Amino acid sequence: MKHVYHVMTYPAMDMDSASSVVLQALTQATSQDTAVLKPAEEQLRQWETQPGFYSVLLNIVNNHMLDVNVRWLAVLYFKNGIDRYWRRVAPHALSEEEKTSLRAGLITNFNEPVNQIATQIAVLIAKVARLDCPRHWPELIPILLESVKGQDSLQQHRALLTFYHVTKTLASKCLAPDRRLFQELASSIYSFACSLWSHHTDCFLQQIYAREEGQALSSLERTLLSLKVLRKLTVHGFPEPQHNMEVMGFLNAVFERLKQFLECCRQVGPESPCREKLEKTIILYTKVLLDFLEQHPCAFIPHIQRSLEFAVSYVFTPAGEGITFERFIVQCMNLIKMILKNDAYKPNKNIEDSKPESLEAHKFKTAFFTHPTLTEIGRRLVSHYLLLTEEELAMWEEDPESFAVEETGGDSWKYSLRPCTEVLFLDIFHNYSQTLTPVLLEMVQNLQGPTNVEDSVQLLMKDAVYNAVGLAAYELFDNVDFDQWFKNQLLGELQVSHHRYKLIRRRVIWLIGQWISVKFKPDLRPLLYEVILSLMQDPDLVVRIETATTLKLNILEKPPYYRYLESIFGLLFQLLQQVTECDTKMQVLHVISCVIERVNIQIRPYVGCLVQYLPLLWKQSEEHNMLRCAILTTLIHLVKNYAESLCRSFCDLLKDITNEGQVQVLKVVEIALKVSPTLAPHMFHPLLPAVFRGILDGERYPVVMATYLGIIGRVLLQNSTFFSSFLTQMASECSQEMEQLLGSLIEMWVDRMDSITQPERRKLSSLALLSLLPSDNGCMLMSHLEEPKLSDDEEPPTEQDKRKKLGKRRGESKSHLALLNTLERQSEGATKGGRSNERDADRDRSSGERDRRGGRAQIAGVNNHGRTAKAQGLSVLLLCFSVLEFLSLDLVRNSLSNSIVRESPRTLSGQQNVTSLEMDRCRAK
């Protein structure tokens, strides 16, 4: 069925008619039938720029009797239109009259019954406020505050929701005037926001203890929204918050409210409808502290002592048992970590140069982190938070690949407990290593010797302690004789094959990987490779993956260890085939790539199976772009390994194969130059002299000659720096001057230009020759067309100097003439093939011939006048235009045209070689 719509015009069409038409389109746009959906979406897209469209959408959104899906779609179209058409400078921008009407309609009432639509309306209002508030919409904030004070529960909630989104959006603006406006807003409404938050918080606490869960949930939602508003105002609304008593009072109140809400967790069970929002509110309180610490470290100094006491009490003492949850523990650990690592809290080495604020903060930290406190924190981190959890052990059994490659890098420490624990342990150990080193060594000593495989608690404890020793490897350098520990203890634990001991086998091989770069004797490496070979065949997949990862840190770098290469590479390839998850294959491929890169050509006898498998893996990874990137990385390392031998083979092949064979071999070189213009010339450098000599000797076979010219042309065009050095090398080998050798090359290039039949190669040759013109290199063309500029201290050249220079120029004129001749032939061929207006073509051709004859005469008889040299350069450039016209290279043509126009006032002064008609043509082109 084909749907026909009338183009909506407003106000010519009345609002009711327009609403019905738009409503019909929106209704059909919610259909699951694409035949109905697509035309409706297209019509709505056309209406987006029609006056009155968004007024109609607002009416539809505010009509609560309509279908929810239709209203949802209407508010989305409205919200997206704000970004496109609300700004005054936008194409098809809304008129000021319609924007005024829309602003008034948006804040008429806050009684949307559907939560999702209410959220979208709040976001929509915030988008408008970002552009218009307060300059063009000063009434927004007062109306919101008035609505928040209202008695109607729904209206109060929707207004508070909108108030939060408006505050959040205004706080995100970064320009200085916008920051000042937001700070003024924060100062004017902060007291109200604090009282609102305090009121709803008290209501929630009273209702939750009275077991009125329905009312408590409503109050908790308002507490959450008002706290979100306060968070933005507190963090972004005051440039120096330490001088504002209300702000500092609010931060003090946060600690008290946090304790009250944590105690509520004892009253609110996991099944309670309030539990989720209660935990969100607790996390939001911690975000207030973290954000304020990050944005205003100096203002946070008075709260350091209380923050540390609060966090340590709930995370590292029994006070938090039964009421804390994982995300809260992560936030508290992050709070401790940020205080430890904050640069503003670290005094200079020279105390006299330190700021008073840094000294005060350091004093708070020193007073808190006493020996007993640090000891308890260190023991608790290792013996409680570094232990593998029941969930992790279950994942090991059910999904070993996900367990082995669990993401622990990047910012995961901000959100996940294990990486957060490890990062905090590292920071505390680094800052207080003298106190914590004996504690950790004592824990290691208590676990010496083999552990009973039936004692799961001791196995988990040993795993955690070994984890801590690996994390603190650099700090323990002087305190642990790792070589002796490896031989006397760890090696024996790796040989325990019981399936329950897989925890320790996996952790020990990881631990060795952490210590290899810290302290590990080369004499022990053969023993380690034997262990790796054994563990790569371990029955447990997690142990095999961990062993492969350790191998990446301990790759066979020296010839004595190459005897293990075949076995290890075979086991790595076997592991690559065994794993099924994309992330695991990427990790194993990364190890394989590192091995190939390190051992270089020694890998060649063993990569045949990998080369055959990678195309199959490529097909299987159609939906996994990251895995394909890993495959390409592996292939790059393989190709680099074979580059030298490949080039040597090509050089040998070119001596003994037919002309057709030479073309096939050189095609590979040409493709490499296309793909990697920087690397490929160096890779095939030994082959290029033969190609260069082939051009100079006048290769008789046209296809081979065209390929030679294509290779040299691509090098010249894409890597001019390499070409200059290569030309210097060839001039030395041929015992010629660079200018003379370049002239011979251009002369032969010009002479054999007709052997290039492919349009792509003809363009390449023309562009390569053109690239010589603007060069600053002494052997390039344009450098001969300008007189050197003299400084104030230099004397002008004598007549004898000028005669010597003139003789040198005459010797080089062959290369100039050669280039002009080829450009002339290209121009004539283009004129024959491409012009629609024959009369204009004849006139342009005859005019061009006169210029070219004049240009050749000038170059043949170069004198010592700078103006004549300028005219020669202009003649060359005019001929270039004909070539560029043939190639349809508009971009380059415009660039050269601009160059000619800039040169023309100086070049043509007193000259009759270029007519005004020709200059008009240049400017037009």
Side-chain angles (χ1 to χ4, degrees):
M1 178 180 176
K2 186 175 180 180
H3 300 276
V4 179
Y5 303 93
H6 298 287
V7 177
M8 186 183 67
T9 56
Y10 178 84
M13 179 184 292
D14 62 83
M15 181 64 74
D16 292 337
S17 300
S19 297
S20 62
V21 174
V22 175
L23 180 60
Q24 180 188 3
L26 287 170
T27 303
Q28 291 167 349
T30 61
S31 171
Q32 300 298 316
D33 185 358
T34 56
V36 177
L37 173 67
K38 294 297 183 182
E41 286 183 340
E42 180 59 32
Q43 182 60 72
L44 289 168
R45 191 175 299 111
Q46 294 177 10
W47 283 341
E48 286 180 358
T49 58
Q50 292 292 322
F53 176 63
Y54 293 99
S55 299
V56 173
L57 289 179
L58 181 59
N59 288 340
I60 293 173
V61 171
N62 288 333
N63 189 347
H64 301 164
M65 303 299 294
L66 298 176
D67 181 69
V68 171
N69 293 324
V70 173
R71 296 175 59 232
W72 168 264
L73 192 59
V75 76
L76 290 182
Y77 268 97
F78 195 169
K79 186 182 72 172
N80 294 334
I82 300 299
D83 295 326
R84 297 173 186 167
Y85 309 114
W86 196 272
R87 296 179 186 273
R88 286 180 295 174
V89 296
H92 309 290
L94 276 70
S95 66
E96 291 300 324
E97 293 78 6
E98 186 173 3
K99 288 197 289 186
T100 302
S101 173
L102 291 172
R103 285 193 293 261
L106 285 170
I107 55 177
T108 300
N109 50 59
F110 297 97
N111 57 354
E112 173 57 50
V114 182
N115 285 331
Q116 293 85 348
I117 296 179
T119 301
Q120 293 301 321
I121 292 174
V123 173
L124 189 158
I125 293 174
K127 284 180 174 289
V128 177
R130 182 180 182 87
L131 301 173
D132 289 356
C133 184
R135 293 183 181 88
H136 305 293
W137 205 3
E139 66 273 17
L140 172 62
I141 300 298
I143 289 178
L144 287 175
L145 295 180
E146 192 63 33
S147 300
V148 167
K149 297 175 184 177
Q151 298 301 314
D152 183 86
S153 177
L154 179 63
Q155 182 178 359
Q156 186 186 69
H157 181 274
R158 299 311 189 218
L160 189 55
L161 177 67
T162 305
F163 186 35
Y164 159 63
H165 281 284
V166 170
T167 306
K168 176 183 176 182
T169 301
L170 295 179
S172 66
K173 301 178 76 172
C174 298
L175 295 178
D178 296 324
R179 303 296 299 168
R180 286 193 294 271
L181 286 174
F182 183 74
Q183 289 164 8
E184 293 174 5
L185 172 66
S187 299
S188 62
I189 66 174
Y190 196 80
S191 296
F192 171 76
C194 285
S195 61
L196 187 68
W197 161 73
S198 183
H199 168 72
H200 290 306
T201 302
D202 290 335
C203 289
F204 163 72
L205 292 173
Q206 292 172 6
Q207 292 159 354
I208 198 66
Y209 283 110
R211 305 290 184 179
E212 301 172 356
E213 290 199 350
Q215 296 179 1
L217 180 60
S218 177
S219 296
L220 184 57
E221 289 177 350
R222 287 159 176 74
T223 301
L224 189 61
L225 287 172
S226 57
L227 183 57
K228 287 181 176 180
V229 173
L230 268 178
R231 176 190 172 198
K232 295 299 179 183
L233 295 176
T234 303
V235 174
H236 302 287
F238 300 91
E240 295 181 341
Q242 64 269 30
H243 301 313
N244 189 298
M245 298 301 296
E246 285 185 315
V247 173
M248 303 308 283
F250 167 69
L251 288 177
N252 285 320
V254 165
F255 292 100
E256 296 299 327
R257 293 299 192 183
L258 259 174
K259 291 178 181 179
Q260 294 173 354
F261 274 68
L262 285 168
E263 288 300 320
C264 281
C265 291
R266 300 187 193 275
Q267 303 291 326
V268 179
E271 299 82 12
S272 172
C274 293
R275 180 72 187 200
E276 182 182 356
K277 277 196 166 41
L278 179 61
E279 292 187 358
K280 282 185 177 181
T281 307
I282 292 172
I283 295 303
L284 186 58
Y285 277 119
T286 61
K287 286 181 178 179
V288 172
L289 298 175
L290 288 167
D291 290 352
F292 193 84
L293 170 58
E294 183 179 3
Q295 294 291 328
H296 307 286
C298 292
F300 193 81
I301 290 175
H303 305 284
I304 289 178
Q305 181 78 18
R306 194 170 186 181
S307 299
L308 291 173
E309 290 174 352
F310 173 84
V312 171
S313 171
Y314 280 99
V315 176
F316 297 108
T317 70
E321 293 180 1
I323 59 175
T324 58
F325 49 96
E326 181 174 319
R327 186 71 197 281
F328 172 72
I329 294 171
V330 170
Q331 293 290 92
C332 288
M333 287 186 176
N334 288 336
L335 185 60
I336 299 171
K337 173 185 176 298
M338 289 181 66
I339 293 174
L340 278 173
K341 294 197 70 176
N342 200 304
D343 292 333
Y345 300 161
K346 296 177 181 178
N348 292 333
K349 292 182 179 180
N350 185 1
I351 300 298
E352 296 177 354
D353 297 334
S354 302
K355 295 181 179 179
E357 297 87 353
S358 300
L359 293 175
E360 184 182 4
H362 183 67
K363 183 180 69 174
F364 282 129
K365 291 196 297 181
T366 304
F368 178 81
F369 287 112
T370 60
H371 187 280
T373 302
L374 288 169
T375 302
E376 181 61 28
I377 290 175
R379 289 186 184 277
R380 186 84 170 171
L381 281 172
V382 176
S383 63
H384 185 76
Y385 292 109
L386 284 181
L387 290 178
L388 290 172
T389 64
E390 293 294 333
E391 292 79 7
E392 290 171 324
L393 292 174
M395 182 186 291
W396 187 326
E397 297 296 335
E398 298 168 5
D399 191 0
E401 292 187 39
S402 297
F403 175 85
V405 297
E406 187 176 3
E407 181 62 43
T408 58
D411 288 340
S412 59
W413 58 269
K414 293 181 178 179
Y415 315 105
S416 301
L417 182 58
R418 176 163 297 279
C420 179
T421 302
E422 293 177 350
V423 168
L424 178 61
F425 176 80
L426 272 173
D427 290 335
I428 289 184
F429 208 96
H430 176 73
N431 283 278
Y432 303 101
S433 59
Q434 291 184 350
T435 303
L436 292 176
T437 296
V439 176
L440 183 56
L441 293 180
E442 181 187 350
M443 299 178 77
V444 173
Q445 189 64 36
N446 293 336
L447 294 170
Q448 286 299 311
T451 302
N452 185 359
V453 295
E454 302 298 330
D455 191 347
S456 59
V457 174
Q458 283 296 96
L459 288 176
L460 290 172
M461 180 61 71
K462 179 173 280 190
D463 175 83
V465 172
Y466 284 4
N467 188 5
V469 175
L471 292 172
Y474 286 97
E475 306 296 337
L476 296 172
F477 179 86
D478 296 323
N479 303 100
V480 174
D481 188 347
F482 190 80
D483 297 327
Q484 288 298 319
W485 193 28
F486 172 74
K487 290 187 294 184
N488 300 335
Q489 169 82 10
L490 302 180
L491 193 58
E493 297 199 282
L494 288 173
Q495 295 169 353
V496 179
S497 59
H498 196 280
H499 73 278
R500 291 186 179 177
Y501 220 73
K502 62 186 180 183
L503 276 74
I504 307 304
R505 293 198 300 274
R506 175 241 182 190
R507 181 58 67 189
V508 169
I509 196 64
W510 172 88
L511 175 63
I512 293 170
Q514 300 302 304
W515 276 85
I516 283 174
S517 59
V518 179
K519 182 190 288 187
F520 198 80
K521 288 182 179 179
D523 299 345
L524 297 176
R525 292 199 177 240
L527 191 57
L528 175 59
Y529 293 135
E530 296 289 347
V531 169
I532 288 175
L533 282 174
S534 173
L535 291 179
M536 286 293 293
Q537 303 172 67
D538 193 277
D540 188 79
L541 180 59
V542 173
V543 175
R544 297 201 299 274
I545 295 173
E546 194 65 63
T547 305
T549 306
T550 300
L551 179 63
K552 180 180 66 176
L553 306 171
N554 183 46
I555 290 173
L556 320 149
E557 295 177 329
K558 297 181 180 179
Y561 309 136
Y562 289 163
R563 64 180 184 272
Y564 303 104
L565 181 58
E566 181 178 4
S567 301
I568 287 180
F569 191 82
L571 291 169
L572 281 173
F573 177 65
Q574 185 178 338
L575 178 62
L576 178 64
Q577 293 177 299
Q578 290 170 347
V579 298
T580 57
E581 295 292 332
C582 175
D583 290 341
T584 320
K585 285 186 179 293
M586 286 172 53
Q587 185 165 324
V588 178
L589 269 177
H590 182 52
V591 177
I592 291 175
S593 297
C594 291
V595 172
I596 294 172
E597 185 180 17
R598 293 286 183 85
V599 302
N600 209 342
I601 61 174
Q602 303 298 326
I603 200 66
R604 290 179 190 170
Y606 318 118
V607 296
C609 56
L610 178 64
V611 172
Q612 293 176 1
Y613 175 69
L614 288 180
L616 175 62
L617 183 59
W618 180 270
K619 288 184 179 179
Q620 295 173 348
S621 60
E622 289 182 1
E623 299 179 359
H624 303 285
N625 292 332
M626 294 301 295
L627 177 56
R628 287 195 161 187
C629 290
I631 295 171
L632 290 175
T633 301
T634 306
L635 287 172
I636 288 171
H637 290 305
L638 284 171
V639 171
K640 286 182 178 179
N641 266 304
Y642 281 90
E644 183 180 348
S645 60
L646 185 67
C647 184
R648 193 182 310 114
S649 301
F650 281 7
C651 291
D652 296 337
L653 278 173
L654 289 175
K655 298 175 183 177
D656 303 319
I657 59 176
T658 63
N659 292 326
E660 291 82 357
Q662 288 188 42
V663 172
Q664 295 302 317
V665 170
L666 292 174
K667 279 183 179 179
V668 178
V669 180
E670 201 165 10
I671 291 172
L673 290 170
K674 287 181 182 179
V675 173
S676 180
T678 303
L679 180 62
H682 297 278
M683 185 186 301
F684 292 102
H685 184 274
L687 186 143
L688 294 178
V691 173
F692 195 89
R693 291 191 188 95
I695 297 175
L696 294 180
D697 296 341
E699 168 62 45
R700 298 179 63 184
Y701 191 59
V703 180
V704 175
M705 186 61 163
T707 308
Y708 283 171
L709 293 174
I711 290 173
I712 296 299
R714 198 166 290 281
V715 173
L716 170 60
L717 186 61
Q718 296 182 329
N719 197 336
S720 58
T721 303
F722 175 85
F723 182 79
S724 295
S725 61
F726 175 68
L727 191 64
T728 304
Q729 173 196 335
M730 293 305 300
S732 176
E733 292 180 7
C734 298
S735 301
Q736 295 186 29
E737 294 290 332
M738 286 177 60
E739 291 83 355
Q740 184 180 0
L741 188 63
L742 180 62
S744 302
L745 173 69
I746 295 176
E747 186 175 7
M748 186 57 68
W749 201 330
V750 167
D751 187 60
R752 296 303 179 88
M753 185 70 87
D754 292 335
S755 66
I756 305 174
T757 58
Q758 297 177 355
E760 181 183 355
R761 290 185 186 276
R762 293 174 72 85
K763 291 179 182 180
L764 177 64
S765 288
S766 299
L767 288 172
L769 290 171
L770 288 172
S771 70
L772 296 171
L773 291 174
S775 174
D776 294 331
N777 193 312
C779 68
M780 304 302 184
L781 292 177
M782 285 300 288
S783 61
H784 301 282
L785 301 181
E786 295 191 15
E787 292 291 340
K789 295 181 179 179
L790 300 177
S791 66
D792 297 337
D793 299 333
E794 293 178 324
E795 296 182 359
T798 64
E799 289 299 322
Q800 184 177 3
D801 294 334
K802 293 180 180 179
R803 281 195 294 272
K804 287 182 180 179
K805 191 169 185 178
L806 178 59
K808 183 178 179 181
R809 283 182 175 174
R810 285 174 176 166
E812 299 162 7
S813 63
K814 291 175 67 178
S815 62
H816 292 221
L817 283 170
L819 180 57
L820 286 172
N821 287 331
T822 187
L823 294 175
E824 182 178 1
R825 287 203 299 272
Q826 291 279 5
S827 176
E828 290 171 353
T831 307
K832 292 176 182 177
R835 305 260 180 120
S836 60
N837 191 329
E838 203 61 42
R839 208 172 310 161
D840 292 343
D842 292 340
R843 184 170 60 253
D844 292 342
R845 197 157 49 237
S846 62
S847 176
E849 286 298 328
R850 288 195 301 271
D851 295 328
R852 287 191 280 274
R853 284 195 296 271
R856 285 197 295 271
Q858 289 169 355
I859 293 178
V862 178
N863 55 39
N864 61 343
H865 293 290
R867 291 179 178 176
T868 305
K870 291 280 187 177
Q872 294 168 11
L874 184 58
S875 299
V876 172
L877 292 177
L878 285 171
L879 287 173
C880 293
F881 267 118
S882 300
V883 179
L884 295 175
E885 192 169 31
F886 166 64
L887 299 176
S888 300
L889 298 174
D890 296 334
L891 181 61
V892 182
R893 182 164 58 200
N894 291 337
S895 174
L896 287 171
S897 175
N898 292 336
S899 174
I900 290 179
V901 171
R902 286 194 299 269
E903 286 289 338
S904 59
R906 291 177 293 160
T907 305
L908 300 180
S909 177
Q911 301 296 323
Q912 302 299 322
N913 296 317
V914 182
T915 66
S916 59
L917 174 62
E918 291 160 342
M919 284 308 303
D920 290 338
R921 282 170 44 211
C922 292
R923 290 193 179 95
K925 292 179 181 180

